[in-house]
Amino acid sequence: MEQQHTQDISYLNRVLQFYPFDILDIHLIESRSGRTTWEVKTNEGEKILKQAQMKPRRMLFIAGAHDHLYKNGLAITPIHKTSSGAICLGAKDFSYVLYDKVAGNEMIYYNKDQMKKIFAFAAQFHISSKGYVPASESKKRSRLDKWHKLYRWKLQELAGNKQLAQSYPEDEFSKLFLMYADKMLERGQNALRALDNGQYEQWTKNSIEERSYCQQDFTLARFTEIDGNPFMRELHSITYDLPSRDLRILLNKLMKKLSVWDTDLAVELLSSYEAVNPLTPDQYKVLWADLEFPYLFCSIIHKYYLSQKRSWGNEKYIWALQNIIAVEDSKEQFLHQYREIVSSIKEGKGGE
């Protein structure tokens, strides 16, 4: 074990020698899901070195976006360039970035004031993302103009899992799933049809022209609170897509934790976003379509029939499905109040 540790440190020192810092100490922080991070003490303060199992060209796309946000004034940690000016390093299937370590207070989903600030931050993130021109060698990623294909694929999988569930008549999870399968398939088809009304196509064209992107996995794990405001500790990934994708992910993630769709809270959070980066009524229609699509339901069904959560027993799977059904059922009132809610958001009445 000691020999392995020595080899690791030797390897890390070879990576860090490309940076213009004197390395005083290296400490492993975390290693999971193809990503490993170390705390690095240098003559110019503490840094974070992240190793990701991804092609260097892909990391170049993300690191360039990180630097773009920083230069545009977003509250995000500075990313460091090597002595020769490279924004990241790579070798075969691994890539490395180095940025400042920042310390602050934890941000949690159950703190409404913090969540309102996160939605305002998301708005600033989307504004700051505009105009990004990645390096020519970058491996870009885009979901723009691919929503129809994604919806259809997920609906086909859900329909296939419905057939699979029918072959397990005594399975409690399958019985619960089948009670809601047709309803969720209908919701997904409604969302798919809503994309054909023109608003999605126009917003997609605008986003392509603006060269804007979204984070695609907006999570509080990447944030800390400094002086009462959100600060992004790292940029995990990005993709060219509509800002509404980040809003949908954030809202779904929060409401799943609350086990119910809180319409008043959703209005307050979207009002915080609107105050910084206003959306048009047509753009809100696209968000409504994406919120109507049963992503959460599709996800738990996918996990169950592929046995992705090996540590979960049947009770936990059933609990998770019941939780998501409660969220999706209570979301329907919100979805049916598009005009009233958007009017309230546009008039700045969120939270009143």
Side-chain angles (χ1 to χ4, degrees):
M1 184 69 75
E2 183 176 346
Q3 182 179 5
Q4 180 64 45
H5 176 72
T6 302
Q7 291 173 345
D8 290 343
I9 295 299
S10 176
Y11 177 75
L12 291 174
N13 279 324
R14 289 200 297 275
V15 172
L16 291 166
Q17 73 180 2
F18 288 95
Y19 290 93
F21 304 113
D22 294 332
I23 308 305
L24 306 178
D25 191 26
I26 303 172
H27 174 69
L28 176 67
I29 299 176
E30 183 180 56
S31 182
R32 65 176 183 177
S33 303
R35 294 175 184 269
T36 305
T37 54
W38 295 269
E39 178 182 309
V40 182
K41 292 185 179 180
T42 77
N43 61 317
E44 295 189 24
E46 295 179 339
K47 315 295 179 187
I48 297 295
L49 177 69
K50 181 171 73 174
Q51 177 198 71
Q53 193 170 356
M54 70 171 62
K55 298 287 187 181
R57 292 176 60 217
R58 171 71 181 141
M59 179 60 83
L60 182 59
F61 182 55
I62 299 170
H66 184 138
D67 197 43
H68 176 80
L69 293 169
Y70 178 75
K71 289 177 177 177
N72 281 349
L74 189 73
I76 187 171
T77 184
I79 190 169
H80 294 292
K81 294 185 178 182
T82 66
S83 299
S84 60
I87 197 76
C88 61
L89 294 170
K92 295 183 179 180
D93 293 333
F94 289 94
S95 301
Y96 300 85
V97 287
L98 185 73
Y99 44 85
D100 279 354
K101 179 185 178 182
V102 292
N105 298 319
E106 182 183 11
M107 302 200 75
I108 58 175
Y109 291 96
Y110 304 104
N111 185 317
K112 185 172 73 172
D113 289 338
Q114 285 188 337
M115 288 305 301
K116 289 170 69 173
K117 291 176 182 178
I118 285 291
F119 272 74
F121 184 97
Q124 190 59 56
F125 179 102
H126 295 142
I127 292 171
S128 300
S129 77
K130 294 179 180 179
Y132 176 45
V133 180
S136 58
E137 305 92 340
S138 297
K139 176 66 174 178
K140 306 172 186 66
R141 180 173 292 177
S142 176
R143 281 269 184 96
L144 288 170
D145 208 23
K146 296 178 181 177
W147 285 25
H148 290 78
K149 182 179 180 180
L150 175 67
Y151 280 19
R152 291 190 188 99
W153 180 83
K154 285 185 175 294
L155 288 172
Q156 287 172 0
E157 183 187 48
L158 190 60
N161 282 326
K162 175 188 170 183
Q163 290 184 324
L164 184 61
Q166 289 170 337
S167 66
Y168 297 111
E170 303 303 319
D171 178 55
E172 293 300 323
F173 183 96
S174 295
K175 286 193 283 188
L176 181 59
F177 164 40
L178 289 172
M179 289 174 60
Y180 287 86
D182 289 340
K183 181 179 181 178
M184 293 300 151
L185 284 166
E186 182 181 1
R187 280 255 305 261
Q189 292 293 349
N190 290 339
L192 181 59
R193 285 191 289 272
L195 295 184
D196 293 327
N197 293 333
Q199 298 92 350
Y200 171 72
E201 182 180 1
Q202 186 58 51
W203 199 0
T204 296
K205 289 179 180 178
N206 294 345
S207 292
I208 292 173
E209 292 171 359
E210 291 172 347
R211 293 180 172 272
S212 58
Y213 50 85
C214 74
Q215 190 179 164
Q216 82 174 338
D217 185 19
F218 228 102
T219 171
L220 297 195
R222 318 212 194 287
F223 285 90
T224 189
E225 187 182 55
I226 298 178
D227 296 329
N229 293 304
F231 189 94
M232 185 171 277
R233 295 186 292 110
E234 65 161 321
L235 187 62
H236 181 77
S237 62
I238 67 155
T239 189
Y240 288 124
D241 206 347
L242 303 182
S244 59
R245 181 179 177 186
D246 282 340
L247 296 179
R248 181 259 298 171
I249 288 172
L250 267 171
L251 285 170
N252 275 348
K253 188 174 294 189
L254 171 61
M255 301 307 176
K256 186 172 74 168
K257 290 180 180 295
L258 298 178
S259 300
V260 66
W261 187 273
D262 187 331
T263 293
D264 291 339
L265 177 58
V267 172
E268 286 193 61
L269 297 177
L270 290 173
S271 295
S272 295
Y273 184 95
E274 173 79 12
V276 178
N277 186 31
L279 301 180
T280 68
D282 280 351
Q283 289 171 336
Y284 276 113
K285 286 182 180 178
V286 176
L287 173 60
W288 250 246
D290 212 28
L291 287 170
E292 182 170 17
F293 194 89
Y295 284 99
L296 297 175
F297 190 81
C298 290
S299 178
I300 188 61
I301 301 303
H302 174 86
K303 287 184 175 71
Y304 181 75
Y305 289 107
L306 286 183
S307 301
Q308 287 192 331
K309 296 289 187 180
R310 298 187 182 281
S311 62
W312 284 20
N314 282 351
E315 290 92 355
K316 189 161 186 178
Y317 269 115
I318 291 171
W319 175 86
L321 179 56
Q322 289 172 333
N323 184 57
I324 287 168
I325 288 171
V327 172
E328 294 292 5
D329 275 349
S330 56
K331 186 195 288 185
E332 290 192 358
Q333 182 184 8
F334 171 88
L335 294 172
H336 293 152
Q337 291 180 307
Y338 163 79
R339 292 186 180 278
E340 299 90 333
I341 290 175
V342 171
S343 176
S344 179
I345 292 169
K346 300 300 286 185
E347 293 172 8
K349 295 181 179 178
E352 292 186 9

